[in-house]
Amino acid sequence: MTQAISVPAQRSGEMRVVVPICAAHFVSHYYMMILAPLFAFIRVDYGVSYTDLGLALTAFNLASAVLQTPAGFLVDRIGARAVLIAGVGLGAVAFAVAGLVNSFVVFIAMFAVAGIGNTAYHPADYSLLSDHGSSARISQIFSYHTFAGILGGAVAPATLLVMHSYFGWRGAFVGAAILGFVVLALLIAERSAMPSERLEEKHRSLRAAGKVADASKTDNHGWRLLLSPPILLNLCFFILLSLMGGLYSFFVVALAALYETPATIANVALSALLLMNALGVLVGGVLASRTNRHAAVAAVGLAVAGVGTALVAVVGFSSPALVVLASIAGLFVGIASPSRDMLVRAVTPKGAFGRVFGFVSSGYNIGAMIAPTIYGMLMDHGQPRGVFLFSAICSIVCIGTVVFGFSGRQQRTVDV
C-alpha cells in the first residue's frame, strides 16, 4: 500500500517541477516566432526595409549562438533555476521595452537582449529535468519539454495577430511580455517544489568545503569535454537539424514554384507536418522510455523524414497524398527528438548538463542564421526542387552524426 501511494506522490512532485519548466520552454518558442506574423506591420510603422528588420532576427540568433555555451557554464556553477528565472525575466522585459519604446535602434537592441535571455532555456531546462526526472521516465519528460516548445511556436502567430487586431503590434509585444511575466511568477512560486534546487545548493556547499571537485575547473567537465568528438557531433547534429527545419519557412513558396500547388493546399500540408511533428514528439517519448536503442530510433526517424522530403522534390503528388506525406515526415522527425535528447544525456557527465546542452543547442542558432540564406538563394536561382532536396540531405547526414557519435561504449546512461 505504501509503495502504491509513493509512486503517484513521486510523480506529482516530479510534475510540479516539469510543468513550470515546460511553460518556460513554451514561452521561449513563442518569443522565437514573435516577429514573423507582425513583420509587415512593424516594417510599415518604422518605414524600414525587410533587410533592416531582419537585423532583429540576426541580433537575436547571434547573441544566442555566442552566449549559450557560457550560459551553460553558468548553469553548472550557480544553479539552473536561477539562470532560468533570469532568462525568462530578461526576455519578458526586452519585448515589453520593444513594444513600448518608439525607437528602431532600441527595437533591434531589445532583440539582442531577448537573445541573451534565450540562452538560458536549453542548458537550464535540461539540467533541471535531468537532475529531477526519474530514469524510467526521463525520455517522456524530455518529450513533454520539446512538445511544449513546439506548441508555443504553433500558437504564437494566431494569438499575436489577435492581439494586433485589438492593440496593434506594440500591444501584441506587450501581451507577449505579460505571458513571460506570468511564467516567471510561476517559476518563482514553485521554488519550494524544486528539489533539484536543493541538490544544487548541497553540491555548491560541498564543493565550497572541498569535498566535491569544481566541474568548471576540470578538463573532463570543461572545454575539453565540449570539444570531444561525441559532443562536437552533437553540435553538428543540432546545426543540421536547424538547417533541415529551415525548409518550413519556404515550404509554401517552393511548392508553388515547383508544382503550382495552391497556397491553401500547401499551407494545409505545412500545418499537417507541424502538427504531426508535435504528436511525434510525444510518441517518441514513450518509445524512448521502452528501449535503450536511442541511436537506432533517431536514425530511423531521420531516414523516413529525409526520404519523404526527397519524394516531395521529385514526385508531383496529388493534394491528399502531399498532405499525407508531409504528415509522415513531420511525425518521424518528432519521433526522433526524445531519442536525440537521450543521446546527448548519455554522453554528458554529472555536473555538466548545463554546459553540454548549452553548447550543442547553440547549433540551433547557428543553423537559423545560415538556413534562410541557403534556401533564399535556391529560390532566387530558380531551384525550388533544391529547397526540398537540401533539407532531405541534411536529414540523411544527421544519421551519420548519430551512428558515429553514439556507437559502442559512448551509449551509456548517466545516473542522476
Side-chain angles (χ1 to χ4, degrees), residues 24 28-30 56 88 100 163 171 221 249 267 279 304 307 320 342 347 354 367 373 375-376:
S28 76
H29 281 251
Y30 193 98
V88 174
L100 294 172
M163 287 189 285
H221 286 186
S249 298
N267 275 297
L279 178 61
V304 174
V307 170
M342 291 298 291
V347 296
T373 301
Y375 288 106

Side-chain angles (χ1 to χ4, degrees), residues 314-349:
V314 298
V315 180
F317 292 97
S318 64
S319 296
L322 175 64
V323 172
V324 170
L325 191 60
S327 299
I328 292 172
L331 176 69
F332 277 87
V333 171
I335 287 174
S337 294
S339 290
R340 170 208 70 194
D341 295 336
M342 291 298 291
L343 291 170
V344 178
R345 184 174 181 267
V347 296
T348 303

Side-chain angles (χ1 to χ4, degrees), residues 89-139:
L90 201 59
V93 169
F95 287 116
V97 172
L100 294 172
V101 177
N102 186 22
S103 167
F104 187 65
V105 173
V106 172
F107 183 87
I108 299 296
M110 287 303 100
F111 266 82
V113 173
I116 297 173
N118 185 65
T119 63
Y121 292 105
H122 276 193
D125 288 1
Y126 281 109
S127 181
L128 284 167
L129 294 175
S130 294
D131 283 342
H132 183 72
S134 64
S135 298
R137 286 171 45 80
I138 191 64
S139 61

Side-chain angles (χ1 to χ4, degrees), residues 99-357:
L100 294 172
V101 177
N102 186 22
S103 167
F104 187 65
V105 173
V106 172
F107 183 87
I108 299 296
M110 287 303 100
F111 266 82
V113 173
I116 297 173
N118 185 65
T119 63
Y121 292 105
H122 276 193
D125 288 1
Y126 281 109
S127 181
L128 284 167
L129 294 175
S130 294
D131 283 342
H132 183 72
S134 64
S135 298
R137 286 171 45 80
I138 191 64
S139 61
Q140 289 178 275
I141 290 172
F142 281 165
S143 73
Y144 300 152
H145 177 261
T146 303
F147 177 81
I150 295 173
L151 185 63
V155 305
T159 55
L160 287 165
L161 286 173
V162 168
M163 287 189 285
H164 170 266
S165 68
Y166 286 100
F167 310 109
W169 74 262
R170 295 183 184 277
F173 267 56
V174 172
I178 291 172
L179 174 63
F181 286 125
V182 170
V183 173
L184 179 64
L186 178 62
L187 286 167
I188 294 173
E190 291 298 324
R191 177 174 185 174
S192 61
M194 290 192 176
S196 53
E197 182 72 11
R198 293 194 295 271
L199 289 174
E200 291 170 353
E201 292 174 355
K202 179 180 178 181
H203 184 80
R204 289 197 298 273
S205 63
L206 289 172
R207 188 169 57 204
K211 296 179 181 180
V212 177
D214 187 341
S216 66
K217 295 180 180 179
T218 65
D219 286 338
N220 288 338
H221 286 186
W223 283 100
R224 181 176 294 181
L225 168 66
L226 299 184
L227 298 179
S228 64
I231 304 302
L232 288 176
L233 283 169
N234 262 296
L235 176 66
C236 293
F237 183 103
F238 277 71
I239 293 173
L240 289 166
L241 204 63
S242 182
L243 291 173
M244 176 184 163
L247 165 68
Y248 304 155
S249 298
F250 293 83
F251 188 88
V252 174
V253 294
L255 281 176
L258 187 57
Y259 300 118
E260 297 184 351
T261 305
T264 302
I265 300 301
N267 275 297
V268 168
L270 178 59
S271 297
L273 187 155
L274 296 174
L275 177 63
M276 294 305 291
N277 178 254
L279 178 61
V281 168
L282 297 178
V283 174
V286 175
L287 185 60
S289 68
R290 298 181 179 180
T291 180
N292 290 324
R293 304 190 64 178
H294 303 302
V297 172
V300 170
L302 291 167
V304 174
V307 170
T309 305
L311 286 174
V312 173
V314 298
V315 180
F317 292 97
S318 64
S319 296
L322 175 64
V323 172
V324 170
L325 191 60
S327 299
I328 292 172
L331 176 69
F332 277 87
V333 171
I335 287 174
S337 294
S339 290
R340 170 208 70 194
D341 295 336
M342 291 298 291
L343 291 170
V344 178
R345 184 174 181 267
V347 296
T348 303
K350 289 181 179 180
F353 288 117
R355 67 201 64 185
V356 169
F357 275 103

